[in-house]
């Protein structure tokens, strides 16, 4: 896999992990609550009801640690990182790929990427300005990270609420925690104009529709504090299947995300 294709694939996985984290801090309002069979506590029968509960419990949780496994462009990935959200979101993560570790930092609006091989001797980091309209790859990666750089991460769950419905609710244990698992069905026909926060651009949605796919599944596991601890989603992107499972912990823990030292940073290639 070439370096450019690898970076695009890695960014797709990064975006999905951000999407999962985005689901933690909603803005939507309304919704109803219903007791699900076998539940020891109330479960939500609408995504908007779930959003309200998370909002009430996460007003001070402005960051999270995440670990994930996923696949994109025919490659398997795993990694971990931290995410902060609010007026100026930030992200840092390291992804293990078949070609070596790739590190990414988002210090809005700049993305710093450290690849397995240095493109410029002595400068392991590449700098990519998401506002650089003259760099085609910047535009591609910028689309994937648009939700993280421009919108409050709470927007993703609101978007899901507009295009999805809860199709299953049950108790499950995740990483030693008692959780409620919400299985979702995402209506592809409703995704247009609402899928940026899910790492899907209009071309990807068009391809999904052309393939005859009517819906895609997603699952979110929420703990007793109404904070997500796991998110899973799978869908095709550019004729390739992308899948991610992300687990979340350390909600509200202090996170310091900074740019690499300037003398270790090279400009991102234009091709």
């Amino acid at each position: 896999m070439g370096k450019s294709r690898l970076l695009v694939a890695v960014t797709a996985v990064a975006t999905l992990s951000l999407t999962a984290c985005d689901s933690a801090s909603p803005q939507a309002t309304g919704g109803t609550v219903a007791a699900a069979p076998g539940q020891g506590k109330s479960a939500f029968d609408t995504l908007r009801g779930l959003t309200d509960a998370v909002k009430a419990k996460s007003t001070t949780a402005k960051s999270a640690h995440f670990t994930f496994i996923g696949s994109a462009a025919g490659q398997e990935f795993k990694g971990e990182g931290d995410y902060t959200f609010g007026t100026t979101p930030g992200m840092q993560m390291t992804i293990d790929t078949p070609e070596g570790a790739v590190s990414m930092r988002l210090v809005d609006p700049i993305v710093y990427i450290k690849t397995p091989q240095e493109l410029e001797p002595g400068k392991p980091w590449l700098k990519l300005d998401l506002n650089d309209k003259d760099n085609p790859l910047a535009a591609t990666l910028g689309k994937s990270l648009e939700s993280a750089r421009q919108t409050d991460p709470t927007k993703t769950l609101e978007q899901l609420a507009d295009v999805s419905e809860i199709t299953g609710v049950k108790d499950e244990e995740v990483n030693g925690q008692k959780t409620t698992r919400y299985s979702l069905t995402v209506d592809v026909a409703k995704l247009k104009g609402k899928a940026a926060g899910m790492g899907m651009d209009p071309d990807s949605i068009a391809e999904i529709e052309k393939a005859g796919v009517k819906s895609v599944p997603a699952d979110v596991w929420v703990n007793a504090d109404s904070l997500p601890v796991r998110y899973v989603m799978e869908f095709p992107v550019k004729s390739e299947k992308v899948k991610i499972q992300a687990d979340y912990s350390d909600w509200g823990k202090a996170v310091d995300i900074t740019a690499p030292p300037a003398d270790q940073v090279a400009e991102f290639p234009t091709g």
Side-chain angles (χ1 to χ4, degrees):
M1 179 186 292
K3 289 184 177 65
S4 294
R5 191 176 178 216
L6 173 64
L7 292 174
V8 172
V10 165
T11 304
V13 174
T15 303
L16 284 176
S17 67
L18 291 175
T19 298
C21 188
D22 287 353
S23 301
S25 235
Q27 290 177 336
T29 60
T32 59
V33 180
Q39 292 290 105
K41 61 185 180 66
S42 294
F44 296 91
D45 62 1
T46 71
L47 283 178
R48 292 192 180 276
L50 176 61
T51 323
D52 263 354
V54 176
K55 181 179 180 180
K57 294 289 186 178
S58 64
T59 54
T60 60
K62 299 300 183 183
S63 64
H65 181 75
F66 61 88
T67 61
F68 66 89
I69 56 176
S71 60
Q75 299 288 345
E76 299 294 324
F77 301 93
K78 64 178 181 179
E80 64 179 315
D82 301 288
Y83 187 58
T84 61
F85 39 86
T87 304
T88 305
M91 176 269 291
Q92 59 187 11
M93 67 190 305
T94 299
I95 306 167
D96 295 327
T97 79
E99 298 187 16
V102 175
S103 296
M104 299 180 67
R105 296 182 191 176
L106 172 63
V107 185
D108 190 62
I110 307 298
V111 175
Y112 298 92
I113 303 176
K114 185 178 182 181
T115 58
Q117 294 87 30
E118 294 180 0
L119 297 186
E120 185 174 334
K123 295 187 176 183
W125 290 91
L126 298 174
K127 176 183 178 180
L128 178 64
D129 187 340
L130 296 181
N131 289 330
D132 185 358
K133 304 302 182 182
D134 296 326
N135 189 329
L137 189 54
T140 300
L141 301 185
K143 288 180 181 178
S144 295
L145 290 169
E146 192 68 17
S147 64
R149 92 178 262 272
Q150 287 191 346
T151 67
D152 190 300
T154 64
K155 201 68 175 177
T156 296
L157 191 54
E158 184 176 9
Q159 289 174 332
L160 279 172
D162 289 336
V163 302
S164 313
E165 63 177 11
I166 296 174
T167 54
V169 181
K170 63 179 178 179
D171 291 331
E172 286 190 358
E173 186 172 295
V174 175
N175 298 329
Q177 296 186 64
K178 293 182 178 180
T179 73
T180 301
R181 176 180 177 174
Y182 294 89
S183 296
L184 314 176
T185 296
V186 183
D187 188 337
V188 173
K190 296 179 180 179
L191 280 173
K192 294 178 182 178
K194 296 181 179 294
M198 289 172 263
M200 302 170 70
D201 59 28
D203 291 341
S204 298
I205 297 171
E207 286 193 13
I208 294 174
E209 289 184 314
K210 185 177 180 179
V213 177
K214 303 297 184 182
S215 63
V216 293
D219 292 272
V220 59
W221 287 255
V222 180
N223 65 16
D225 293 325
S226 293
L227 292 170
V229 296
R230 176 170 290 173
Y231 183 96
V232 175
M233 192 171 186
E234 179 178 333
F235 55 81
V237 173
K238 303 297 184 183
S239 300
E240 297 175 333
K241 183 175 291 185
V242 174
K243 181 178 181 179
I244 188 71
Q245 173 184 305
D247 289 4
Y248 293 86
S249 61
D250 296 332
W251 286 101
K253 183 177 179 179
V255 175
D256 184 22
I257 300 175
T258 58
D263 61 359
Q264 296 182 20
V265 178
E267 291 297 323
F268 207 93
T270 57

